[in-house]
């Protein structure tokens, strides 16, 4: 049953009404009983009729008294008021005949335009032809009224928020000399019973008051672990032990269609849709059954809140909410009895909506209060909450107990706030609408007699406190993340030199270079390895393809890249099925790299067969089905019947080198623990996870020759010796093929992180050219010296790539004399504008081809300095190929 109060404007007498669903009218109970007396009613419900008729009018129109009477006689009263078929027919007949005007009131809540009412309310509230809401003065509460005017004919209300369903002016509420009245609570306690709302409000308050903490800690955590709630925003342990509530101010309640002055002390005014329980009995130390019987009805509430100061009052001041909550609460006109409300608390559920200026901005999911095993139900029921409140404390009739906000129906949960002149409508069945207008800000006067001399904390100390707090949370968060990294202790030798200027060898400064044009760079991204053949530069790219581009010129000084890039082959074609498309492989994604492969080095044998080290697929061979090699008749034309075969499955295959007779292939494996897409984890791990293999190409036999290498990278052969770059130890390993002895050449303390290697001969001396992927990072040395730093850094790296912040843009390559281990040349680009973070560098020289054009060819011995160039490949996505001369005058 639905009830509401109205007040007669002539004498301020209050009358109680009930909603008659058959006629869709509000009926004044006192007039209804008089009508039954006039028609000499003697039917089915005579006993309850006689009981009601003998009650004094003051008690009959008292909401608490009537709710108490209804609780004991619910079936009888609803039977008489709502379910008597004869009475219902007579009431409908009265309306049809336009009679019984003193008894009927217009239905301003439940009609066919229920969804449109908030929009119409906003239009009426902002119409220039009507007055605004009556203003509720927070300093001196008065009885709010709805302003009215007059016309030349019959008096009509100048402003009414809720439109009626009838155009008959005699049914208008104010035409009858009445206005809506609301229950004025004797006391107000407001709980917070939904866990979900508590979490969402905590997030919202952090966004509003501590955005740095939210977006740097809470937001990343909850997006990485979407099923977990960040501990800081979860309710405290007390919430799961007993209901939370605060004491509100019953004297600042306002009713439907009234105006709330915008509190001048806030910048974020919020609404909250809640349900209020009305007590009709005095209880103390009640059980939940007794508490349930103490509730006589339910009403819709809007608990207006100041979000600017709420966090300070509840956390910083440690005194609970006071000004942020006590300035105003809105209460609806419609009271619903417990028997009707029960289905909304259980199976039917409650769905609330919020409109601002006529536009729906929020809608809740279906939520319940008494339903077990429902994730959308409140954590506590009303009866449990009221029973807890009554412990060692008396609760009295007329008190209102708030449920707390239904999830998703507060602005702070979604970032919505109210402004001056906004019209906000809360809507929920079975209560209807609760509409209020937000007025102007009030002017504030100085409240102090004189400003006190209070101690103020130093802003610097406060700032440091937040920094320490932030770092503590950050460290705690990352400490719980899992990692496979087990950083090994290693005290790296001090670098041989502090800077290139300390090297006792020529330093070749690079000031200019020839790079791929921008329109070609996208097709030739991240060339990890480079190899030259007949003027073409071949390279394996990030998308698992091998491509080539020609570099030539009419003279030795006008070298230019061709405007065409050829696709040679895709390494994924070694598989027979589940082959992704080229477009899919061009997504820079580690999952696609697992499917598409990643070429790290290429080598041609003397017959033109192409051997590949692929970090995903292992060692591959490409050749034509009908010819030797990949070319047609030793030309530059690539055969169209290429086939890709896997000759060895080796994890994280990195570099290869062919023996002089092409019968043996040597391969480095960087890690058996991490893939290439996790190479930074392998670097931070620093473990001996790498290996060196020998593959007999005639028999297919694979033999592990060396184990326990630290990120085995580039490899070259010089006679009976193999040289391997150990990236995470900043050194070059020498391996004797005959004896199997391992040693480190004298330079085991490189200033850089070595990548691929290339070899040339100069006057019978073997010169090793080392491509430096990075300068040696002090952070890595620190991580190896203190392994817990390396492990922690790997956890941070799983969330944020901080390494790119400490990398230095620098181009560096070092050439060693393998005879004595001395540095003989340094190739250096201090700003990294011409080449940077290279993965491979080879010596080349200009030669004249049979076609009369000048092209680049790799130089393996006694290279001419004057016609010499360096060719560098770069795995970094922002870079590609770079060609630069040994002498800066060589490029036009």
């Amino acid at each position: 049953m639905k009830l509401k109060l109205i007040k007669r404007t002539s004498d301020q007498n209050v009358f109680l009404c009930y909603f008659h669903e058959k006629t869709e009218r509000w009926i004044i109970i006192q007039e209804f009983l008089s009508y039954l007396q006039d028609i000499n009613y003697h039917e089915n419900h005579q006993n309850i009729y006689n009981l009601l008729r003998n009650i004094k009018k003051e008690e009959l129109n008292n909401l608490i008294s009537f709710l108490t009477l209804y609780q004991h006689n619910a079936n009888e009263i609803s039977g008489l008021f709502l379910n008597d078929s004869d009475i219902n027919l007579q009431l409908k007949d009265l309306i049809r005949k336009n009679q019984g005007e003193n008894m009927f009131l217009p239905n301003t809540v439940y009609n066919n335009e229920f969804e449109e009412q908030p929009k119409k309310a906003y239009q009426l509230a902002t119409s220039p032809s009507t007055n605004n809401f009556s203003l509720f003065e927070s300093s001196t509460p008065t009885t709010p009224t709805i302003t009215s005017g007059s016309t030349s004919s019959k008096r009509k209300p100048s402003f009414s928020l809720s439109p009626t369903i009838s155009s008959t002016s005699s049914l208008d509420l104010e035409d009858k000399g009445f206005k809506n009245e609301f229950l004025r609570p004797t006391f107000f306690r407001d709980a917070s019973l939904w866990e979900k709302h508590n979490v969402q409000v905590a997030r919202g308050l952090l966004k509003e008051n501590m955005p740095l903490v939210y977006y740097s800690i809470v937001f990343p955590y909850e997006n990485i672990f979407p099923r977990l709630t960040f501990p800081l925003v979860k309710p405290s342990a007390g919430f799961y032990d007993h209901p939370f509530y605060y004491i509100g101010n019953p004297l600042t309640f306002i009713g439907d269609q009234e105006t709330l002055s915008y509190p001048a002390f806030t910048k974020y005014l919020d609404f909250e849709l809640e349900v209020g329980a009305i007590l009709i009995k005095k209880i103390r130390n009640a059980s939940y059954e007794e508490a349930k019987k103490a509730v006589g009805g339910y009403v819709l509430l809007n608990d207006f809140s100041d979000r600017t100061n709420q966090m300070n009052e509840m956390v910083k001041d440690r005194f609970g909410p006071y000004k942020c909550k006590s300035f105003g609460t809105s209460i609806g006109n419609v009271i619903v009895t417990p028997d009707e409300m029960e289905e909304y608390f259980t199976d039917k559920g409650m769905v609330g909506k919020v409109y601002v200026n006529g536009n729906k901005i929020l809608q809740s999911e279906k939520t319940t209060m008494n339903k077990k095993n429902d994730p959308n139900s409140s954590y506590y029921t009303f009866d449990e909450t009221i029973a807890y409140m009554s412990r060692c404390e008396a609760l009295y009739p007329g008190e209102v107990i708030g449920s707390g906000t239904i999830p998703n129906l507060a602005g702070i949960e979604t970032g919505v706030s109210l402004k001056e002149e906004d019209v906000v409508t809360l809507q929920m069945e079975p209560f209807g609408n609760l509409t209020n207008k937000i007025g102007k800000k009030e002017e504030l006067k100085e409240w102090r007699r004189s400003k006190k001399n209070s101690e103020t904390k130093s802003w610097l100390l406060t700032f440091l406190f937040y920094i320490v707090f932030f770092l503590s949370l950050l460290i705690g968060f990352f400490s719980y993340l899992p990692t496979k990294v087990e950083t090994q202790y290693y005290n790296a030798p001090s670098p041989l030199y502090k800077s290139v200027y300390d090297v006792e060898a020529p330093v070749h400064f690079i000031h200019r270079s020839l790079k791929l044009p921008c329109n070609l760079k996208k097709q030739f991204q991240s060339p990890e390895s480079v190899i030259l053949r007949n003027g073409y530069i071949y390279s394996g790219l990030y998308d698992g393809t091998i491509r080539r581009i020609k570099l030539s010129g009419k003279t030795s000084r006008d070298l230019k890249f061709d405007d065409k890039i050829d696709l040679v082959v895709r390494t994924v074609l070694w598989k027979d099925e589940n082959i992704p498309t080229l477009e899919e492989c061009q997504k820079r994604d580690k999952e696609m790299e697992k499917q598409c492969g990643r070429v790290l080095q290429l080598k041609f044998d003397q017959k033109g067969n192409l051997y590949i080290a692929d970090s995903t697929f292992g060692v591959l061979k490409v050749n034509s089905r009908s010819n030797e090699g990949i070319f047609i008749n030793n030309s530059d034309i690539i055969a169209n019947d290429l086939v890709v075969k896997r000759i060895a499955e080796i994890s994280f295959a990195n570099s290869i080198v062919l023996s002089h007779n092409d019968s043996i292939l040597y391969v480095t494996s960087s890690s058996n623990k991490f893939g290439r897409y996790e190479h930074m984890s392998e670097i931070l791990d620093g473990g001996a996870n790498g290996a060196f293999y020998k593959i007999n190409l005639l028999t297919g036999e694979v033999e592990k020759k060396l184990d326990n290498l630290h990120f085995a990278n580039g490899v070259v052969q010089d006679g009976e010796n193999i040289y391997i770059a150990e990236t995470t130890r900043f050194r070059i390993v020498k391996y004797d093929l005959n004896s199997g002895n391992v040693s480190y050449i004298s330079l085991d303390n490189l200033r850089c992180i070595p990548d691929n290697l290339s070899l040339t001969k100069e006057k019978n001396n073997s010169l090793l050219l080392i491509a430096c992927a990075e300068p040696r990072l002090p952070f890595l040395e620190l991580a190896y010296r203190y392994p817990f730093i390396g492990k922690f850094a790997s956890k941070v790296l799983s969330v944020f790539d901080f390494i790119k912040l400490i990398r230095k843009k620098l181009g560096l390559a070092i050439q060693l004399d393998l005879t004595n281990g001395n540095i003989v040349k340094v190739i250096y680009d201090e700003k990294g504008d011409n080449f940077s973070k290279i993965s491979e560098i080879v010596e080349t020289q200009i030669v004249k081809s049979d076609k009369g054009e000048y092209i680049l060819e790799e130089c393996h011995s006694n290279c001419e300095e004057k016609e010499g160039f360096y060719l560098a490949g770069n795995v970094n996505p922002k870079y590609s190929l770079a060609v630069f001369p040994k002498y800066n005058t060589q490029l036009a």
Side-chain angles (χ1 to χ4, degrees), residues 478-670:
F478 284 115
S479 297
Y480 282 100
L481 291 182
T483 180
K484 294 191 295 182
V485 171
E486 295 291 338
T487 306
Q488 306 298 310
Y489 171 80
Y490 177 62
N491 190 7
S494 298
L496 183 66
Y497 56 91
K498 292 185 178 180
S499 72
V500 295
Y501 301 102
D502 298 328
V503 179
E504 295 180 2
V507 178
H508 182 52
F509 293 95
I510 304 300
H511 299 295
R512 59 197 314 189
S513 64
L514 180 64
K515 300 177 185 176
L516 273 179
C518 293
N519 62 320
L520 297 178
K521 198 175 290 185
K522 289 185 178 180
Q523 303 176 51
F524 217 87
Q525 280 190 17
S526 305
E528 174 83 17
S529 173
V530 289
I531 188 171
L532 279 161
R533 187 180 177 94
N534 297 330
Y536 283 94
I537 301 171
Y538 293 79
S539 186
L541 307 180
Y542 75 98
D543 56 3
T545 62
I546 296 170
R547 300 176 189 257
R548 72 175 187 176
I549 186 170
K550 194 168 187 179
L551 180 65
S552 61
K554 294 181 180 179
T555 69
S556 61
R557 290 179 175 270
D558 67 347
L559 295 178
K560 292 182 180 178
F561 286 103
D562 198 352
D563 58 2
K564 178 186 176 184
I565 294 176
D566 299 325
L567 173 62
V568 179
V569 73
R570 296 176 63 199
T571 57
V572 72
L573 295 178
W574 77 270
K575 298 193 296 183
D576 296 327
E577 56 185 14
N578 298 325
I579 298 175
T581 65
L582 182 57
E583 290 73 19
E584 290 173 329
C585 291
Q586 287 174 339
K587 299 175 183 177
R588 284 191 174 271
D589 184 283
K590 71 177 183 179
E591 293 302 321
M592 292 313 303
E593 183 172 319
K594 292 178 184 179
Q595 299 181 46
C596 302
R598 179 65 168 100
V599 180
L600 297 187
Q601 197 163 54
L602 310 171
K603 293 294 179 185
F604 280 110
D605 67 9
Q606 297 174 27
K607 295 179 180 179
N609 296 304
L610 184 61
Y611 291 91
I612 303 167
D614 189 293
S615 62
T616 303
F617 302 137
V619 181
L620 308 174
K621 178 184 177 181
V622 183
N623 63 282
S624 169
R625 294 181 187 272
S626 55
N627 301 290
E628 284 284 358
I630 68 169
F631 304 102
I632 298 176
N633 299 327
N634 294 321
S635 67
D636 297 332
I637 303 174
I638 297 172
N640 57 10
D641 60 347
L642 298 184
V643 59
V644 184
K645 301 175 184 177
R646 180 155 77 176
I647 60 176
E649 185 177 0
I650 293 175
S651 62
F652 202 160
N654 194 315
S655 293
I656 54 177
V657 62
L658 281 161
S659 64
H660 299 301
N661 59 6
D662 291 342
S663 62
I664 302 296
L665 186 69
Y666 298 105
V667 187
T668 57
S669 167
S670 294

Side-chain angles (χ1 to χ4, degrees), residues 405-418:
T405 310
I406 294 173
N408 300 326
L409 294 178
I412 192 70
E413 297 179 71
T414 54
V416 178
S417 62
L418 296 174

Side-chain angles (χ1 to χ4, degrees), residues 69 72 117 197 240 243 556 578 658 684 714 732 741 747 846 849:
L69 179 66
H72 295 94
Q117 287 180 14
H197 169 71
Y240 304 98
S556 61
N578 298 325
L658 281 161
L684 289 171
I732 308 298
N741 291 331
L747 193 63
I846 296 179
S849 70

Side-chain angles (χ1 to χ4, degrees), residues 1 59 111 243 441 529 720 787:
M1 190 171 182
E59 190 174 347
N111 58 35
K441 285 188 177 181
S529 173
E720 296 302 317

Side-chain angles (χ1 to χ4, degrees), residues 12-214:
Q12 300 298 304
N13 285 333
V14 175
F15 298 89
L16 187 61
C17 309
Y18 79 95
F19 183 67
H20 190 260
E21 295 179 355
K22 300 296 183 181
T23 60
E24 294 186 340
R25 294 291 188 276
W26 288 97
I27 297 177
I28 301 174
I29 293 176
Q30 179 179 315
E31 296 296 332
F32 173 68
L33 294 175
S34 297
Y35 167 73
L36 294 181
Q37 186 175 1
D38 291 342
I39 64 173
N40 197 20
Y41 176 77
H42 295 287
E43 297 295 336
N44 300 329
H45 307 285
Q46 188 66 36
N47 292 335
I48 191 64
Y49 166 65
N50 291 334
L51 176 63
L52 293 170
R53 191 178 60 178
N54 294 325
I55 295 177
K56 294 181 180 179
K57 292 182 179 180
E58 293 79 6
E59 190 174 347
L60 182 67
N61 289 308
N62 182 285
L63 177 64
I64 303 301
S65 298
F66 186 84
L67 289 174
T68 304
L69 179 66
Y70 183 87
Q71 188 181 74
H72 295 94
N73 304 276
N75 293 332
E76 292 83 357
I77 293 177
S78 60
L80 175 64
F81 284 21
L82 301 173
N83 301 322
D84 189 301
S85 57
D86 292 336
I87 293 178
N88 291 342
L89 288 173
Q90 294 182 50
L91 293 176
K92 287 181 179 180
D93 191 53
L94 288 175
I95 293 175
R96 184 176 59 82
K97 295 177 179 178
N98 203 20
Q99 297 176 356
E101 293 184 4
N102 293 333
M103 181 170 56
F104 294 108
L105 298 175
N107 168 19
T108 59
V109 179
Y110 308 97
N111 58 35
N112 296 328
E113 298 177 336
F114 189 54
E115 292 285 342
E116 295 297 319
Q117 287 180 14
K119 187 174 292 186
K120 293 186 177 180
Y122 170 66
Q123 292 170 351
L124 286 167
T126 56
S127 173
S129 63
T130 61
N131 296 326
N132 287 329
F133 286 50
S134 57
L135 181 64
F136 174 73
E137 300 290 350
S138 58
S139 58
T140 309
T142 59
T143 302
T145 61
I146 300 178
T147 59
S148 60
S150 60
T151 64
S152 58
S153 57
K154 197 168 185 178
R155 181 181 63 82
K156 294 184 179 180
S158 61
F159 174 62
S160 174
L161 263 179
S162 301
T164 64
I165 63 168
S166 173
S167 60
T168 307
S169 60
S170 62
L171 290 180
D172 191 277
L173 184 61
E174 290 199 9
D175 277 352
K176 288 176 167 291
F178 292 101
K179 63 180 180 181
N180 285 316
E181 179 61 294
F182 62 90
L183 171 70
R184 302 176 187 276
T186 58
F187 204 76
F188 179 52
R189 306 165 201 259
D190 199 7
S192 185
L193 303 183
W194 276 271
E195 180 186 22
K196 183 177 180 180
H197 169 71
N198 278 277
V199 170
Q200 292 179 165
V201 165
R203 289 194 191 110
L205 289 174
L206 279 175
K207 286 182 192 177
E208 178 68 17
N209 297 279
M210 301 176 71
L212 179 63
V213 173
Y214 177 79

Side-chain angles (χ1 to χ4, degrees), residues 340-465:
E340 181 172 342
M341 199 64 204
E342 185 62 27
E343 64 175 338
Y344 290 93
F345 284 158
T346 52
D347 296 333
K348 191 171 185 179
M350 300 177 288
V351 177
K353 301 173 186 178
V354 179
Y355 297 78
V356 174
N357 299 333
N359 300 310
K360 184 168 72 173
I361 59 169
L362 294 177
Q363 179 170 327
S364 71
E365 298 176 351
K366 186 175 78 170
T367 186
T368 60
M369 289 199 71
N370 299 343
K371 195 171 183 180
K372 295 182 179 180
N373 302 320
D374 181 1
N376 290 324
S377 183
S378 59
Y379 198 81
Y380 299 99
T381 61
F382 256 128
D383 44 320
E384 290 172 326
T385 303
I386 295 169
Y388 174 77
M389 291 177 177
S390 73
R391 298 178 71 184
C392 302
E393 182 180 359
L395 275 60
Y396 292 89
E399 291 195 27
V400 172
I401 310 298
S403 65
T405 310
I406 294 173
N408 300 326
L409 294 178
I412 192 70
E413 297 179 71
T414 54
V416 178
S417 62
L418 296 174
K419 304 182 295 296
E420 295 176 81
E421 303 298 324
D422 277 348
V423 176
V424 56
T425 298
L426 308 186
Q427 188 181 86
M428 189 169 74
E429 292 185 3
F431 300 105
N433 296 323
L434 173 56
T435 301
N436 297 100
K437 186 173 182 179
I438 308 303
K440 297 286 188 179
K441 285 188 177 181
E442 300 172 275
E443 292 185 8
L444 296 181
K445 299 177 181 179
E446 179 57 52
W447 61 271
R448 298 178 181 88
R449 184 175 298 226
S450 62
K451 290 194 175 182
K452 311 294 182 182
N453 293 323
S454 59
E455 291 187 18
T456 58
K457 293 183 179 179
S458 166
W459 68 269
L460 181 59
L461 290 176
T462 304
F463 175 75
L464 290 175
F465 167 78

